[in-house]
Amino acid sequence: MLYGLMVVHRRKVQYGPIDPVEAREIFIRSALAEGQLQTQEAFFVANQKLLEDIESLEHKSRRRDILVDEQVLVDFYEPRIPEGIYNAQLFLGWWNKTKREQPDLLDFSKALLMQRSADHISSLDFPDTWHKGNLRLQLSYHFEPAASDDGVSVHIPVALLNQIDDSDFDWLVAGLREEKCIALIKSLPKSLRRNFVPAPDYARACVQAMAPFSASLLDTMCKQLLRMSGTRISPEDFDATQMPAHLQMNFKIEDDHHNLVAQSRMLDNLKAELQGVVAKAIRQVADKGIEKEALTEWSFGDLPQQYQQQKGNYQVRAFPALIDKKDSVAIKLFDDEFEAQDAHRQGLRRLLLLNIPSPVKHLQQALPNKAKLAMYFNPFGQVQILIDDIIAAAVQQLLDQKALDVRNQAQFELAKDWVRQELNPTAEQIALKVEQILTLYQSIKKRLKGKISLDIAFAMSDIQNQLDKLVFKGFVEACGWQRLADVARYLKAIETRVEKLPIDPTRDRLHMQSINKVQAALTAQLAKVPRAMPTPPALIEARWMIEEYRVSCFAQVLGTAYPISEKRILNQLTEQS
């Protein structure tokens, strides 16, 4: 204004020179605490990333009490930034000098930003990706009940939409599964709902007992509730319209630049809606004619680990592998990498065995009669099944010892020469270990026969269950050649337990309670593993840790492979979580 007259209406001016103190407060709050500053300074980028990570935890847990209040950020910056800094130019000029001596002066710490612990929000409960066949789809979480994408969203490239069906998505993520089961029980008609009170207890028991992705969630839940209560219900009895939106998977369809094309809770509706823009799914991405049948030698050149084809920003991959056809092998394309690896191991073993002399004659001549009898009276019937299992384990041992992943003819010839040279003595060593296992198994089975008093009935049932998990059709190759000596020790521990059981059943029962606790914890973790993923090595190890714990409980005199306790097993499972 000039002499009371408006010269330029609503013209913007720097507020700093007018009130530098208040301007500084506004700058700290808006530019730094609220993140409005336009800069790529390392401290600012890292701080914003840390804030986003903690906000993500809030979206996953559906709670607003993890990230600190904005005032905490203001209080952090205020004493660190000198007086007179009230805009970006002054701030960056000061910071360019200061960061040379104090580069971490303005770095947030995780402890500063969190009001409470988020240890309960695990990657298994709230994963960042969803495995669907050979695809790994991104998951995102949003906590805003009125929003269209409230809850969990899976991001699907529009080019891949036709390759994806809606199976498994009803199971949601493990962290929301119990809440969904509670909502489903509460949606039942009153005449049925009254059989499942309190609903949270029944829902929790269902989640612990059900095998995720084995069938639809509703079918599996109906069967489990029937087992628990004797009340028969059908999927149609649940009223999905009462279900909160965040307990149903949201599907976000995106273009090659990750822009949202459409979203809905109903995948089939999206397919119909986007029929004109969805590219046809790429089914065959490998060279034509790569799949072959009736192969008895390596006559097909190199076998790559994967083929891939670019589709927008996504690579659709196919994994070729040898597959076992008993009297030959074939080459087949898989859409799942882990399934292909497993099939290739079996197919490679078969192709090697087709090209070297069989060790069966050597076993017949070298094994003592006691070993032959044990194998003849094996619990699986045909002795040939057991012999094939032993030979498969022997071949796998030889491949593992040389770390061989055969993908071309030269590698195959090296593997063939190695296996031919060492197979007979290796198979013999494994057969002798198997004989010891089967002898112990038969001895224990005899002890389990006859009348059983009520006070040891549960223990006998537990022993039978343990036996079934240790000795079964295909156990030699499944347990692995490395663990056969351990399996024999576990069976000896069972023998010791059976001997002590009538003397002190109470002590046995106390040990069982502890073992059941860790077994339930393992089962719960296994239930969280997506079907397309292999079982994590930590969970496989936990399964064998429980066997060692049984030795510690029931047969300490035999010793364990390493120090073991209930706490160690639970820690192992916690670390995996």
Side-chain angles (χ1 to χ4, degrees):
M1 295 181 70
L2 181 64
Y3 299 111
L5 297 175
M6 184 71 70
V7 178
V8 180
H9 181 61
R10 300 184 69 82
R11 181 178 185 178
K12 293 182 178 181
V13 297
Q14 280 283 353
Y15 187 52
I18 299 172
D19 190 341
V21 174
E22 186 175 6
R24 176 176 176 273
E25 293 175 358
I26 293 172
F27 175 77
I28 289 175
R29 181 173 296 277
S30 300
L32 297 175
E34 293 180 6
Q36 296 182 26
L37 182 65
Q38 300 296 315
T39 181
Q40 291 300 311
E41 287 290 340
F43 87 90
F44 190 76
V45 173
N47 285 353
Q48 294 305 114
K49 176 65 168 60
L50 191 55
L51 285 168
E52 290 173 3
D53 290 345
I54 297 174
E55 285 178 348
S56 174
L57 295 176
E58 290 191 327
H59 286 298
K60 288 179 177 181
S61 64
R62 302 187 65 78
R63 301 179 62 147
R64 293 295 188 193
D65 58 353
I66 299 177
L67 182 64
V68 295
D69 186 80
E70 183 183 284
Q71 186 60 43
V72 175
L73 309 185
V74 174
D75 294 341
F76 170 83
Y77 282 119
E78 203 281 331
R80 290 168 169 79
I81 298 175
E83 300 293 334
I85 303 295
Y86 51 72
N87 61 29
Q89 183 180 358
L90 292 171
F91 172 77
L92 292 174
W94 164 78
W95 177 242
N96 283 333
K97 298 176 182 178
T98 304
K99 67 183 180 182
R100 297 170 189 167
E101 297 180 358
Q102 297 177 282
D104 56 352
L105 176 66
L106 301 181
D107 289 353
F108 291 161
S109 68
K110 198 170 183 180
L112 169 73
L113 300 182
M114 297 183 69
Q115 298 186 72
R116 59 192 298 273
S117 170
D119 292 343
H120 62 289
I121 307 171
S122 76
S123 59
L124 284 178
D125 286 325
F126 299 96
D128 293 322
T129 56
W130 184 281
H131 294 261
K132 190 72 174 174
N134 69 322
L135 301 174
R136 184 175 296 179
L137 305 173
Q138 198 69 28
L139 291 179
S140 64
Y141 299 82
H142 189 56
F143 177 31
E144 189 178 349
S148 58
D149 62 346
D150 183 41
V152 192
S153 295
V154 58
H155 297 252
I156 303 174
V158 67
L160 302 180
L161 180 56
N162 281 345
Q163 295 188 33
I164 296 172
D165 58 54
D166 60 2
S167 63
D168 296 347
F169 288 113
D170 56 340
W171 286 90
L172 217 55
V173 295
L176 293 175
R177 200 169 291 152
E178 184 175 322
E179 183 183 353
K180 182 168 185 175
C181 289
I182 293 173
L184 285 170
I185 291 173
K186 290 184 176 180
S187 76
L188 290 169
K190 187 176 181 179
S191 59
L192 294 173
R193 188 172 67 244
R194 65 188 180 188
N195 295 289
F196 311 109
V197 177
D201 291 351
Y202 275 90
R204 188 178 307 111
C206 273
V207 170
Q208 292 174 351
M210 292 187 301
F213 313 115
S214 55
S216 74
L217 172 63
L218 295 185
D219 286 336
T220 310
M221 210 172 155
C222 288
K223 292 177 182 177
Q224 186 57 36
L225 290 174
L226 174 62
R227 293 190 191 101
M228 294 166 61
S229 68
T231 301
R232 188 176 299 277
I233 56 176
S234 67
E236 292 73 26
D237 293 324
F238 297 103
D239 185 359
T241 61
Q242 296 185 27
M243 182 98 50
H246 74 276
L247 296 179
Q248 302 177 59
M249 184 68 80
N250 184 50
F251 301 96
K252 287 189 173 183
I253 313 304
E254 299 175 337
D255 62 20
D256 292 342
H257 303 289
H258 304 291
N259 297 316
L260 183 66
V261 176
Q263 66 176 321
S264 172
R265 310 277 171 178
M266 304 296 292
L267 187 60
D268 287 341
N269 291 352
L270 285 171
K271 289 184 177 183
E273 177 187 341
L274 302 175
Q275 188 174 9
V277 291
V278 176
K280 290 186 177 180
I282 300 174
R283 304 275 179 199
Q284 298 291 331
V285 299
D287 298 332
K288 187 175 182 181
I290 182 63
E291 293 187 307
K292 300 179 184 296
E293 295 283 342
L295 298 169
T296 57
E297 56 186 21
W298 197 288
S299 57
F300 41 84
D302 293 354
L303 189 66
Q305 289 190 336
Q306 70 174 36
Y307 291 98
Q308 59 187 30
Q309 185 174 5
Q310 194 74 20
K311 186 65 177 179
N313 291 331
Y314 276 79
Q315 287 183 336
V316 180
R317 299 182 297 170
F319 304 92
L322 296 174
I323 60 171
D324 184 0
K325 293 286 189 176
K326 302 304 180 185
D327 57 353
S328 66
V329 299
I331 299 176
K332 177 183 175 182
L333 287 172
F334 289 83
D335 59 5
D336 180 81
E337 181 178 8
F338 305 112
E339 187 180 356
Q341 290 173 352
D342 185 58
H344 188 69
R345 280 193 295 269
Q346 298 179 45
L348 177 59
R349 291 199 303 258
R350 177 60 63 190
L351 191 59
L352 286 167
L353 289 171
L354 289 171
N355 285 270
I356 61 176
S358 171
V360 172
K361 186 175 181 180
H362 172 80
L363 292 176
Q364 291 174 340
Q365 295 174 347
L367 289 178
N369 290 333
K370 181 183 176 185
K372 294 176 185 177
L373 282 172
M375 287 193 287
Y376 183 79
F377 291 106
N378 76 83
F380 325 120
Q382 295 181 359
V383 69
Q384 189 61 46
I385 294 174
L386 181 59
I387 292 174
D388 289 344
D389 194 19
I390 291 170
I391 295 172
V395 174
Q396 193 60 54
Q397 177 178 343
L398 295 171
L399 292 173
D400 290 345
Q401 287 174 345
K402 295 287 187 178
L404 295 174
D405 179 25
V406 177
R407 289 286 173 174
N408 59 49
Q409 187 166 6
Q411 292 173 342
F412 178 76
E413 293 300 325
L414 287 174
K416 184 174 70 174
D417 291 343
W418 165 245
V419 173
R420 178 192 290 116
Q421 175 183 339
E422 300 294 334
L423 182 56
N424 284 351
T426 303
E428 182 182 344
Q429 292 172 4
I430 290 178
L432 291 173
K433 293 176 182 178
V434 170
E435 178 263 323
Q436 183 185 17
I437 289 170
L438 293 178
T439 301
L440 289 165
Y441 176 86
Q442 295 290 1
S443 174
I444 295 168
K445 290 291 287 184
K446 288 179 181 178
R447 289 170 175 254
L448 296 181
K449 293 179 180 179
K451 291 184 178 180
I452 299 174
S453 61
L454 189 60
D455 60 339
I456 64 170
F458 286 109
M460 288 298 196
S461 176
D462 177 65
I463 290 169
Q464 183 59 62
N465 185 51
Q466 184 187 3
L467 281 175
D468 292 342
K469 290 180 179 179
L470 290 174
V471 182
F472 50 88
K473 187 182 293 186
F475 81 94
V476 185
E477 197 271 328
C479 291
W481 57 272
Q482 309 96 322
R483 294 195 185 274
L484 292 177
D486 291 329
V487 172
R489 181 163 50 86
Y490 302 150
L491 292 170
K492 289 178 182 178
I494 294 176
E495 273 195 324
T496 303
R497 180 186 180 185
V498 173
E499 291 172 0
K500 294 181 178 179
L501 182 57
I503 301 171
D504 194 351
T506 302
R507 181 181 178 83
D508 187 282
R509 191 158 46 248
L510 291 174
H511 286 316
M512 270 184 60
Q513 290 175 359
S514 179
I515 291 167
N516 289 340
K517 179 180 178 180
V518 294
Q519 185 63 55
L522 173 59
T523 302
Q525 290 292 75
L526 289 171
K528 297 176 183 179
V529 179
R531 184 170 57 182
M533 285 182 62
T535 303
L539 296 187
I540 295 175
E541 182 60 28
R543 177 260 185 275
W544 294 108
M545 288 175 73
I546 293 175
E547 293 294 341
E548 293 291 339
Y549 187 44
R550 285 176 173 274
V551 176
S552 175
C553 288
F554 300 118
Q556 289 184 355
V557 67
L558 295 177
T560 57
Y562 40 76
I564 192 69
S565 66
E566 177 185 313
K567 183 178 180 181
R568 288 176 186 268
I569 299 172
L570 294 176
N571 286 342
Q572 172 87 356
L573 295 172
T574 301
E575 289 173 8
Q576 168 61 31
S577 168

